[in-house]
Amino acid sequence: MSAATKAIEAGHIWTFPGGIHPPERKELSNQTSIAPLPLAKDYYLPLKQHSGAPGELLVQVGDQVKAGQALTQIGANNGLPVHAPTSGTITAIGPGIIAHPSGLADTVITITADGNDEHIALEPLADYTQISRADLLERIKDAGIAGLGGAGFPTAQKLALQRPLDYLIINGVECEPYISADDRLMREHAQTIIDGTEILLHIAGCKKALIAIEANKPEAIAAFEGLLDKHPQLALRVVPVKYPSGGEKQLIQLLTGRQVPSRGLPIDVGLVMQNVGTAFAVAQAVLQGKPLIERVVTVTGENVEKPGNYWVRLGTPVAYLLEQCGFKPEPDQRVIMGGPMMGFTLADLSVPVVKITNCILVPSSQELAPAQDEMACIRCGACADVCPAQLLPQQLQWLAKAKDYDGLDQQNLFDCIECGACAYVCPSEIPLVHYYRKAKAEVRNIAREKAKAEVARERFEARQERLEREKQERLERHRKAAEARKKAQAEAVAQGGDNPQDAVQAAIARAKARKAAQAAAAQQQNKEGDDA
């Protein structure tokens, strides 16, 4: 065992560069148990709620559905399915606003609830160790499980990567201010999270898991400490309170001292990470057969009467969720999906809760000051000091404004995790993350256009090659046919048959004779005309 591995096993905690300590404000929502939410009248389910392609539609307008019924299937593009959150009728399928910083529209299925909340029959699995790894991955995929920590990467796809793993890391850090969804889930459902972790270990073929929790969650830590004695392959790691300790690369560095390379993945350094919410969903999918139709959402901020955590069905409109929590909007009220550091302001409250929605924040203007006008950069360097990815935020901003995409690539723009630490400390109120998100979107669009152009070019070249190949094949067939014909004629002549060439020569002679006769007749007519 190497010295580094011995340190990991001993529970050593490393550190990462940068980081900040914003006010936590988690006490607003973490004091009460997770509560259920009454059924809404309508649910809006975007087909795409994860990283990757959407699934293919299985329903049409007018269909009756039950809770848990698949509305889409995986399809050719390996998309994740979405499921009906309750029973009711499909009343629309078409464009709708989705929860995205840009306010983009996408295909959305609308379900009008019938109020009965009938569920499909579930298929529990008594012993998951008795079925193959591939079948377990298929079960997780069919349940529509994507990473619930925010990235939304399909869980089965991440687990399917085939490389030796040293550790599975379960991320329960939840370092973003205000959000306490994972905290309450760990306090109340630690055993289910442990069950999900055991399943993930089994699928990943990994022997050890590290469950990471930030030190400001003593109740969650105590909940796991009371259970881990029966699970020797699981180890608890308490990490210091520092934002963004819950970032994937930052947490890996904290727990193992290893650094994920630029443009690399945790699996490149022998690790894989899942969120505690994902582990919980995996346990439900595998052991109970339950698809992902609801999740824990923190509703918090001073402008809501009942802040707390709620079991929210996917597709629930944010407006309905806030209404149930006693929303008291003020003039120019901001509603933020996510936390104050990485979240984005919603332009329309009809957007639904989706798989990656962990928080709805409705702050008063006193607790979270509105964004001020952007001022000129004074080159203080504070943004670079706090960047956990060791980037140069100021330089990235200039390059983004100049649309210098090559320069942004050289400065590793996509290593930015958009934690917002740079903008938080900027004395000039520059919304740095806004520039990075916009630049990333533009780079992705350019890449997509390049890919489309490349595909079009390859198709054109392939067509030209096909046409040229067919032409050459046609010429070759004609050449061979001519040779065969000549050969057959030669053989026929040799055997005493008529020579086709003689017939040709005879035809030519007849044509010449006919032409000469016509010329002589014309000359004779001209002569008779002169004599007359």
Side-chain angles (χ1 to χ4, degrees):
M1 183 183 293
S2 67
T5 303
K6 286 181 181 176
I8 295 171
E9 292 294 322
H12 180 77
I13 301 294
W14 282 261
T15 186
F16 63 86
I20 55 176
H21 294 86
E24 297 174 14
R25 301 287 283 159
K26 292 178 181 288
E27 70 283 357
L28 278 174
S29 61
N30 69 2
Q31 303 301 308
T32 55
S33 300
I34 305 169
L37 197 71
L39 287 176
K41 179 184 175 186
D42 295 302
Y43 291 85
Y44 304 96
L45 294 137
L47 265 58
K48 180 173 159 45
Q49 301 184 30
H50 61 278
S51 300
E56 297 176 356
L57 271 172
L58 287 172
V59 292
Q60 57 186 355
V61 174
D63 286 357
Q64 303 291 317
V65 295
K66 292 183 178 180
Q69 180 177 332
L71 305 177
T72 62
Q73 61 182 352
I74 294 169
N77 293 323
N78 207 24
L80 278 184
V82 293
H83 301 79
T86 186
S87 57
T89 306
I90 306 291
T91 50
I93 299 174
I97 300 174
I98 61 171
H100 190 274
S102 65
L104 287 172
D106 206 343
T107 304
V108 174
I109 301 172
T110 302
I111 297 177
T112 298
D114 59 15
N116 298 324
D117 199 26
E118 291 184 74
H119 288 245
I120 60 169
L122 302 181
E123 298 179 1
L125 189 62
D127 186 357
Y128 64 85
T129 63
Q130 297 304 307
I131 67 172
S132 69
R133 177 176 179 267
D135 288 341
L136 283 172
L137 288 174
E138 203 62 28
R139 196 174 177 93
I140 291 171
K141 192 186 297 181
D142 288 342
I145 299 176
L148 302 186
F153 195 81
T155 301
Q157 195 171 333
K158 184 185 282 191
L159 292 171
L161 297 173
Q162 292 282 349
R163 290 191 201 174
L165 293 173
D166 297 329
Y167 294 97
L168 163 69
I169 295 175
I170 300 298
N171 188 346
V173 174
E174 198 176 50
C175 58
E176 175 121 7
Y178 283 94
I179 306 176
S180 58
D182 287 350
D183 182 14
R184 288 303 322 189
L185 189 71
M186 289 188 290
R187 293 190 203 184
E188 299 172 32
H189 298 281
Q191 183 58 59
T192 308
I193 293 170
I194 288 174
D195 292 342
T197 303
E198 295 275 16
I199 295 168
L200 291 168
L201 274 176
H202 175 73
I203 296 174
C206 187
K207 294 181 179 178
K208 192 87 178 181
L210 304 176
I211 300 175
I213 305 177
E214 211 171 22
N216 59 357
K217 302 176 182 62
E219 294 87 353
I221 293 169
F224 278 91
E225 285 177 337
L227 297 170
L228 289 182
D229 287 346
K230 300 176 184 175
H231 303 272
Q233 67 276 38
L234 311 187
L236 182 64
R237 294 288 183 269
V238 179
V239 302
V241 178
K242 181 182 177 184
Y243 180 82
S245 296
E248 188 174 64
K249 292 183 178 180
Q250 287 67 43
L251 185 54
I252 285 173
Q253 196 166 353
L254 278 174
L255 299 184
T256 67
R258 300 177 186 178
Q259 293 189 19
V260 179
S262 178
R263 297 179 177 83
L265 296 171
I267 202 167
D268 296 332
V269 292
L271 305 166
V272 66
M273 184 181 293
Q274 300 287 353
N275 175 264
V276 288
T278 310
F280 178 85
V282 165
Q284 288 200 315
V286 172
L287 303 179
Q288 300 178 24
K290 184 177 179 182
L292 183 62
I293 63 170
E294 64 180 356
R295 65 157 298 152
V296 182
V297 178
T298 301
V299 181
T300 186
E302 292 183 354
N303 284 347
V304 67
E305 290 179 349
K306 295 183 286 185
N309 287 282
Y310 297 87
W311 285 111
V312 182
R313 306 282 178 104
L314 303 181
T316 302
V318 170
Y320 175 78
L321 174 58
L322 290 175
E323 178 188 328
Q324 298 301 310
C325 298
F327 183 33
K328 302 177 297 181
E330 63 182 23
D332 300 321
Q333 175 69 55
R334 285 175 297 161
V335 177
I336 300 170
M337 184 171 279
M341 303 300 294
M342 299 185 72
F344 58 90
T345 301
L346 294 174
D348 190 329
L349 298 188
S350 67
V351 300
V353 168
V354 293
K355 295 177 182 179
I356 59 173
T357 304
N358 58 357
C359 178
I360 301 295
L361 172 61
V362 282
S364 68
S365 54
Q366 285 74 34
E367 67 174 320
L368 200 63
Q372 303 298 310
D373 291 337
E374 178 180 339
M375 294 176 282
C377 174
I378 59 173
R379 306 189 184 197
C380 63
C383 54
D385 292 340
V386 300
C387 179
Q390 295 182 289
L391 301 174
L392 297 173
Q394 176 189 8
Q395 186 75 9
L396 286 172
Q397 182 223 359
W398 290 335
L399 293 169
K401 281 184 172 179
K403 298 185 183 300
D404 184 348
Y405 301 122
D406 290 336
L408 287 167
D409 185 56
Q410 291 170 6
Q411 293 291 329
N412 298 316
L413 170 67
F414 281 89
D415 281 355
C416 171
I417 62 171
E418 302 177 18
C419 67
C422 54
Y424 181 81
V425 300
C426 178
S428 296
E429 301 283 348
I430 301 173
L432 293 159
V433 177
H434 165 76
Y435 288 106
Y436 309 150
R437 284 177 176 163
K438 188 177 177 185
K440 285 181 180 179
E442 289 169 350
V443 171
R444 291 190 183 104
N445 280 337
I446 291 171
R448 274 195 292 270
E449 291 303 318
K450 278 186 177 177
K452 286 169 63 178
E454 183 65 17
V455 169
R457 183 187 64 77
E458 289 176 355
R459 290 175 60 186
F460 175 78
E461 291 180 353
R463 180 176 181 276
Q464 293 300 105
E465 288 178 5
R466 177 177 60 79
L467 293 175
E468 180 63 24
R469 184 175 63 253
E470 291 174 352
K471 177 184 175 183
Q472 294 302 324
E473 289 172 354
R474 187 168 60 251
L475 292 174
E476 181 64 14
R477 286 198 302 273
H478 292 170
R479 186 186 65 77
K480 289 181 177 178
E483 288 181 357
R485 193 164 52 247
K486 287 180 180 178
K487 183 178 179 182
Q489 289 173 356
E491 290 175 355
V493 171
Q495 293 174 4
D498 294 335
N499 187 344
Q501 292 300 321
D502 294 343
V504 172
Q505 294 302 322
I508 294 173
R510 288 196 298 274
K512 287 181 177 178
R514 186 166 56 251
K515 190 174 179 181
Q518 290 172 346
Q523 188 176 11
Q524 182 62 32
Q525 285 180 353
N526 291 336
K527 182 178 179 183
E528 290 173 355
D530 293 342
D531 293 343

